[in-house]
Amino acid sequence: MQLVVARIGRAHGIKGEVTVEVRTDEPELRLAPGAVLATEPASAGPLTIETGRVHSGRLLLRFAGFADRTAAETLRGTLLIAEVDPEDTPEDPEEFYDHQLIDLDVVTVDGTEVGRISEISHLPYQDLLIVRRPDGSEVMIPFVSEVVPEIDLEAQRAVIDPPPGLLDETQAEVARGEGGAERGGA
């Protein structure tokens, strides 16, 4: 099974390094020197990681055959894809690969059907489960333990405990300032 593990950003310096947007919880395994990765577009690869380091909180990689800034800049926007055994699971039992979550049924803690996970959106500070509802609409569920207390891979379901308004806007709670007045009111 192929998984996108990073997206190449801009060139950094003059020696062929590039910034990468990491899309894996295991960069030390998937993006280590010596790793050979497929690419999207396929014409850019495969790429072999020559060196990797962290600089100012960003991962920098250099690939074999890309020795200068000009060559490295041609890789900008390329997706890096690793071959992963579909039976592999992360070491931490509270972590999951995207392919394990896609197509799980989503139900609330009281058993109400919500829909099915269609996609995982990896944002800088938190992941979102994109859930397709039976009516075709989508809802974004923050993938945090307070909202998603249970993932049961054997039962192929994710149990959610949504705060008011997450699934139904009419149930949203209005934030109130001190004294009970609504913010923005006169």
Side-chain angles (χ1 to χ4, degrees), residues 34-173:
V36 179
L37 302 167
T39 60
E40 178 62 42
S43 60
L47 296 174
T48 302
I49 298 174
E50 200 168 79
T51 64
R53 67 186 177 101
V54 176
H55 175 73
S56 297
R58 300 222 18 125
L59 179 61
L60 302 178
L61 298 178
R62 184 171 50 226
F63 299 98
F66 293 83
D68 62 32
R69 182 181 187 88
T70 303
E73 191 62 40
T74 65
L75 297 173
R76 190 176 194 161
T78 300
L79 296 177
L80 299 175
I81 302 167
E83 190 66 39
V84 177
D85 182 342
E87 300 303 315
D88 280 353
T89 58
E91 288 181 22
D92 183 342
E94 295 297 312
E95 291 183 8
F96 304 91
Y97 292 131
D98 288 4
H99 71 273
Q100 294 174 297
L101 300 172
I102 301 293
D103 286 333
L104 291 185
D105 291 322
V106 179
V107 297
T108 62
V109 291
D110 67 7
T112 303
E113 179 185 336
V114 176
R116 187 169 256 172
I117 299 173
S118 62
E119 178 183 345
I120 314 300
S121 180
H122 299 282
L123 302 177
Y125 298 104
Q126 146 184 320
D127 295 337
L128 294 174
L129 302 177
I130 310 302
V131 177
R132 181 162 311 277
R133 301 178 94 165
D135 67 5
S137 65
E138 290 184 337
V139 62
M140 294 182 280
I141 308 291
F143 193 33
V144 294
S145 59
E146 295 82 19
V147 179
V148 186
E150 181 184 350
I151 297 289
D152 185 341
L153 295 178
E154 284 187 31
Q156 288 290 289
R157 70 180 190 156
V159 177
I160 65 170
D161 188 7
L166 184 65
L167 299 178
D168 183 353
E169 291 179 15
T170 63
Q171 295 177 352
E173 295 177 357

